[in-house]
Amino acid sequence: MAPWLFKTVNSLSSKNYQQLHKSPIHNSISLIFFSTSRPSEIKPKVTIFDYLINHQQFSPESASNVLSSTTKYVKKPQNADLVLSFLTESGFSKIHIENVVQKVPQVLSSKFETSIKPKIKIFQDLGFESIDIADIVSADPWVLTRSADNRLGPSLLVLKNVLGTNAGVVTLLKLSGWFLKHDLERVMMPNIDYLKSCGISSSQIVKYVYNFPRFFLMKPESIKGFVKRVDEMGFDRKSKMFLPAIRTMSSMTVENWELKLKLLRDLGLSEENILSVFKRVPQAFAISERKIKDVTKLLLNVGNLDISYIVRHPDLLICSVNQRLKPRLAVLQVLENKKLLQKKPSFTSFFKISGSQFLHKYVIPYSDELGDLSLGRYSQ
């Protein structure tokens, strides 16, 4: 108790104290008497919005974009200052930091010494450039909030061994931060080793790591199950389509696979036809049933083709209906109706040539006759 307050209380007579007890100021003195907190220790809460505006000079727009349903206050602004200052010193730009905080505001309350600093140091010790570290973390800031266990360094080394360079790792992690959420030594490497044992080349595996990263993060027993199903269909392991077939099989449940088979049967494909399509273009089975129906209907009804043509050219099932097939069929109809073509083009080349080739061969020379159709986009 403050000396002046002690003296004041002792000077009160019993009678005066009783009168004081009945007075309105009693509650105020009681509050001073029995409070365990000093006024100087009571600090108002700082909202994340106010902290970012007043302490970090975020724009109101950037501060309002912070994605948080649970974290509304900055409990320790000094800790948040330390975290963001360290990121700035480590090469993070203002945009990088805004991305990090907007995606994972919890980083403001993360433990600097045991969570933030060790993670950045791991990247630095493995030779990653400051800008690359900032790009990786900005793309997936959750890596900063997870406990600083022993998996980050080994996982980065696994990726470097698979892809060959730090630059490859940076490209991959900017596309998908999922890899840093897993123990790659226990999940990814067994999958890659098994696929190699099946005869799949390292170059094809690397390509698929970039294009289908989550495929390699499946449980090893699941990958083996997909390989078994593809083997049972009589697929040649030496085929370049072997890995696409496995990946396609992994993209759907057994029930969805059976629905695709039923749809193709209903469209008139025999079991032999279905197997032929799968062996040639397994990716065709990864598209939706709706798209299979739309492409088939368009080619049969508008293109006047039969189902055997689709069996021979199953890659057409992958083409965009609205961006490739429909626009090109519309151009063909006009050119044929106006008898502008000396010879009807092969559907195979007509549909499959690149957008620029199609433009220069079938659109630009006939722009006056095509009218509005010549303004269409044929880059697909």
Side-chain angles (χ1 to χ4, degrees):
M1 185 185 302
W4 66 269
L5 185 58
F6 184 83
K7 183 177 179 180
T8 301
V9 173
N10 279 343
S11 67
L12 293 173
S13 65
S14 174
K15 181 178 179 180
N16 289 338
Y17 182 79
Q18 291 176 1
Q19 291 176 347
L20 178 64
H21 183 76
K22 297 177 182 179
S23 71
I25 68 171
H26 170 262
N27 291 335
S28 299
I29 292 181
S30 297
L31 178 63
I32 297 173
F33 238 80
F34 299 104
S35 174
T36 58
S37 301
R38 298 183 181 183
S40 61
E41 294 177 343
I42 300 175
K43 297 180 180 179
K45 291 183 178 180
V46 179
T47 66
I48 285 183
F49 184 83
D50 289 339
Y51 170 79
L52 295 176
I53 296 265
N54 299 323
H55 288 250
Q56 297 298 330
Q57 288 72 55
F58 276 42
S59 68
E61 294 77 16
S62 296
S64 63
N65 286 334
V66 173
L67 304 177
S68 177
S69 58
T70 57
T71 307
K72 296 181 179 180
Y73 300 97
V74 179
K75 296 180 180 179
K76 297 180 179 180
Q78 300 91 337
N79 181 76
D81 290 344
L82 187 62
V83 169
L84 298 187
S85 294
F86 175 73
L87 293 180
T88 299
E89 293 168 2
S90 299
F92 284 62
S93 68
K94 188 170 186 280
I95 294 177
H96 284 132
I97 290 177
E98 288 182 354
N99 285 337
V100 168
V101 176
Q102 286 173 5
K103 293 177 182 177
V104 187
Q106 294 92 326
V107 74
L108 297 174
S109 57
S110 295
K111 295 179 180 179
F112 173 70
E113 290 292 343
T114 59
S115 182
I116 305 296
K117 189 175 180 179
K119 302 268 181 60
I120 300 300
K121 190 174 186 303
I122 289 173
F123 282 103
Q124 293 171 337
D125 289 346
L126 290 175
F128 288 89
E129 299 291 335
S130 297
I131 184 63
D132 292 333
I133 299 173
D135 286 342
I136 291 172
V137 173
S138 176
D140 182 26
W142 286 102
V143 67
L144 294 179
T145 64
R146 290 188 287 274
S147 60
D149 53 28
N150 297 321
R151 293 191 305 182
L152 179 58
S155 291
L156 289 171
L157 286 174
V158 167
L159 292 178
K160 185 174 181 179
N161 289 334
V162 172
L163 303 176
T165 63
N166 277 357
V169 176
V170 173
T171 299
L172 177 65
L173 293 181
K174 286 167 67 174
L175 292 172
S176 175
W178 277 86
F179 287 96
L180 299 184
K181 295 182 174 71
H182 297 265
D183 185 344
L184 301 187
E185 290 182 310
R186 296 181 58 187
V187 178
M188 183 178 182
M189 282 313 300
N191 286 336
I192 288 179
D193 290 340
Y194 176 68
L195 292 172
K196 285 182 177 179
S197 73
C198 294
I200 300 172
S201 68
S202 296
S203 60
Q204 192 176 25
I205 288 174
V206 168
K207 179 181 177 181
Y208 265 63
V209 167
Y210 285 114
N211 294 328
F212 306 101
R214 297 191 187 186
F215 170 72
F216 294 90
L217 300 176
M218 291 184 166
K219 294 179 179 179
E221 54 267 28
S222 297
I223 297 292
K224 291 179 180 179
F226 300 133
V227 170
K228 181 181 178 181
R229 289 172 59 190
V230 172
D231 281 339
E232 289 173 348
M233 295 183 70
F235 221 100
D236 183 2
R237 287 193 174 191
K238 294 181 181 180
S239 169
K240 290 184 178 180
M241 292 294 105
F242 186 58
L243 180 56
I246 300 167
R247 208 289 306 178
T248 298
M249 194 73 77
S250 74
S251 68
M252 69 192 86
T253 64
V254 175
E255 292 75 17
N256 285 338
W257 171 259
E258 291 298 331
L259 288 174
K260 296 278 177 70
L261 296 182
K262 182 179 183 302
L263 171 61
L264 293 174
R265 294 182 189 115
D266 292 344
L267 291 173
L269 275 70
S270 66
E271 298 301 317
E272 184 180 355
N273 291 154
I274 293 173
L275 183 58
S276 173
V277 169
F278 185 63
K279 286 185 175 181
R280 296 180 65 183
V281 187
Q283 300 93 324
F285 284 72
I287 63 177
S288 68
E289 295 172 61
R290 172 68 179 273
K291 184 176 180 182
I292 292 175
K293 291 179 181 178
D294 289 345
V295 172
T296 304
K297 180 179 178 181
L298 182 69
L299 295 179
L300 297 184
N301 297 339
V302 180
N304 295 317
L305 301 171
D306 56 42
I307 198 67
S308 64
Y309 182 84
I310 298 176
V311 173
R312 294 195 304 273
H313 304 282
D315 47 340
L316 291 178
L317 292 171
I318 304 175
C319 293
S320 170
V321 172
N322 293 320
Q323 295 183 12
R324 174 175 288 235
L325 299 180
K326 276 187 177 180
R328 294 192 181 191
L329 279 173
V331 168
L332 179 62
Q333 287 179 332
V334 171
L335 296 181
E336 286 187 329
N337 289 339
K338 294 186 176 183
K339 302 184 185 305
L340 296 172
L341 298 175
Q342 295 181 351
K343 180 181 179 181
K344 184 174 181 178
S346 162
F347 273 113
T348 303
S349 63
F350 189 80
F351 286 126
K352 295 182 182 181
I353 59 176
S354 69
S356 60
Q357 288 176 315
F358 183 85
L359 187 66
H360 286 89
K361 189 172 183 178
Y362 295 106
V363 178
I364 293 177
Y366 309 102
S367 57
D368 292 338
E369 292 84 354
L370 288 172
D372 292 341
L373 286 178
S374 65
L375 302 177
R377 295 183 178 180
Y378 302 97
S379 59
Q380 296 292 323

